[in-house]
Amino acid sequence: GGFKMFETYEDMVTIDDVCQMLNIGKNNAYRLLKEGKLHAFKIGRIWKISRQSVIEYVNHNTKLY
């Protein structure tokens, strides 16, 4: 895919990373987690999100005009 900009991120990313990657605020990022749109798990109070699931989310939601 054309996601060179995501290659600098680790395989597991944080909420802050997701906000940067998708250019969204934390509330939106947490909503995506709650709705199960992103694959994630919690370590203590820290969310870890699969970078691949962010890419898939973008792919799925990108409309080709």
Side-chain angles (χ1 to χ4, degrees):
F3 291 100
K4 286 268 185 272
M5 69 272 218
F6 289 171
E7 282 179 7
T8 54
Y9 291 97
E10 302 288 327
D11 287 340
M12 301 305 294
V13 299
T14 63
I15 276 281
D16 289 330
D17 291 331
V18 171
C19 292
Q20 282 178 355
M21 292 162 87
L22 300 179
N23 199 23
I24 58 174
K26 273 206 169 137
N27 289 345
N28 279 331
Y30 282 118
R31 197 177 71 232
L32 292 176
L33 292 182
K34 241 199 312 233
E35 291 173 356
K37 302 264 171 68
L38 299 175
H39 302 293
F41 60 91
K42 242 178 159 175
I43 303 176
R45 292 176 53 229
I46 308 294
W47 279 100
K48 288 288 183 184
I49 302 107
S50 154
R51 180 187 66 174
Q52 186 57 38
S53 77
V54 178
I55 292 171
E56 283 166 16
Y57 174 79
V58 172
N59 274 336
H60 184 75
N61 289 281
T62 300
K63 305 277 184 281
L64 297 174
Y65 292 106

